[in-house]
Amino acid sequence: MSVTGAREGTGARAISPGRFAGKVVVVTGAAQGIGRAVAARVAAEGADTVLVDRAELVHEVAAELAASAATDGTTAVGVTADLETFQGASAAVEEALKLRGRIDVLINNVGGTIWAKPFEHYGPEEITKEIQRSLFPTLWACRAILPHMISQQGGVIVNVASVATRGVNRVPYAAAKGGVKAITAALALEAAPHGIRVVATAPGGTEAPPRKVVRGPQPDSDREKAWYQQIVDQTIDSSLMKRYGTLDEQAGPIAFLASDEASYITGSVLAVAGGDLG
């Protein structure tokens, strides 16, 4: 989960220059938050990046990265797609291949709690929307990219799950992110013979700038605000470090798992939540 906080943490730190040199990295959900921070991080480390999001904002972000990368020969481009459908995921992959010719790394970052409330207060349509938002983009993107990575006999898929699989007031979101963890474990078994690694991080609470494109309705009534505060309190209590993380602290582990430095890691889910294992 992410939350607005005082520390924006939008800039990459502890950069490893050239770590992704010669690689094409696709980052989904790249217009804001963790996805944007990851795209900036891998671009700074030499990747040719393809930023995917359903928000038009992604083109602005890609242009900013392209401008900053122009001096070192790397490139960044934005692609708009609705990854909640297989058609959208397939179109995004095809566009990335058209633009770059290959894809070495896919980072699946789409997802996020839409509502925050006890499960008995969720309507059936809300439950469906939570699953569509936080499970299907990863499932469809993995399915769309897999034939290409099999054909090139190599690649890395990094999924972004969550430690909220054990958290209050987010049962549908927890179910979706639990599915992301399951995708990671099961697909790693199938993909390993083709030289493909499949890994994941499980972020905890993360401070981020205010979203330019909101996920859903904000807490309005006193009861809704209290439900959301329960999430914040539980997140901090569950962290041994008793705080939210920064975007940098999420982008770093994702970049590591995506890199050749993690070449002997697959099927693993790394909790990045200050000691909360979910």
Side-chain angles (χ1 to χ4, degrees):
M1 64 176 290
S2 62
V3 68
T4 300
R7 295 175 297 174
E8 294 190 356
T10 54
R13 66 179 186 180
I15 296 298
S16 298
R19 181 158 61 167
F20 290 97
K23 294 185 181 294
V24 176
V25 179
V26 175
V27 183
T28 72
Q32 303 180 88
I34 292 174
R36 178 173 179 162
V38 170
R41 177 65 171 257
V42 298
E45 296 186 349
D48 290 317
T49 53
V50 180
L51 286 67
V52 182
D53 205 288
R54 66 182 177 187
E56 292 293 329
L57 176 64
V58 74
H59 297 290
E60 178 183 323
V61 175
E64 292 174 3
L65 291 186
S68 63
T71 57
D72 59 18
T74 59
T75 60
V77 64
V79 172
T80 50
D82 183 0
L83 301 180
E84 291 183 11
T85 69
F86 180 59
Q87 292 79 6
S90 296
V93 169
E94 290 303 316
E95 183 66 13
L97 290 171
K98 178 182 176 181
L99 292 167
R100 295 291 178 260
R102 64 180 289 115
I103 298 171
D104 299 292
V105 178
L106 169 65
I107 298 171
N108 286 314
N109 176 67
V110 175
T113 306
I114 304 174
W115 292 278
K117 52 188 173 182
F119 192 42
E120 67 268 22
H121 292 280
Y122 277 88
E125 291 185 359
E126 292 173 333
I127 293 170
T128 298
K129 287 181 180 179
E130 292 277 12
I131 300 298
Q132 288 174 335
R133 170 68 176 172
S134 293
L135 175 62
F136 277 105
T138 295
L139 189 67
W140 292 140
C142 285
R143 173 60 183 83
I145 197 68
L146 200 58
H148 169 69
M149 287 189 170
I150 289 174
S151 70
Q152 70 185 17
Q153 286 295 285
V156 182
I157 297 172
V158 183
N159 298 324
V160 179
S162 175
V163 295
T165 46
R166 182 178 178 274
V168 299
N169 297 348
R170 290 169 289 173
V171 168
Y173 174 71
K177 288 301 189 178
V180 171
K181 292 180 179 180
I183 291 167
T184 302
L187 185 55
L189 289 170
E190 294 186 18
H194 302 287
I196 302 165
R197 295 192 298 110
V198 186
V199 289
T201 65
T206 305
E207 294 180 348
R211 295 181 63 86
K212 295 182 180 180
V213 180
V214 298
R215 292 194 183 105
Q218 301 301 297
D220 184 28
S221 67
D222 288 342
R223 183 172 70 165
E224 290 172 339
K225 291 176 181 178
W227 285 339
Y228 188 82
Q229 187 60 46
Q230 287 175 347
I231 290 178
V232 174
D233 293 344
Q234 185 252 311
T235 298
I236 294 174
D237 288 344
S238 297
S239 167
L240 302 184
M241 301 176 80
K242 303 304 177 188
R243 66 172 176 85
Y244 272 52
T246 68
L247 292 177
D248 284 333
E249 288 172 325
Q250 298 299 337
I254 292 170
F256 163 70
L257 287 175
S259 75
D260 291 341
E261 295 174 26
S263 59
Y264 196 50
I265 301 174
T266 195
S268 298
V269 179
L270 174 63
V272 187
D276 181 3
L277 301 180

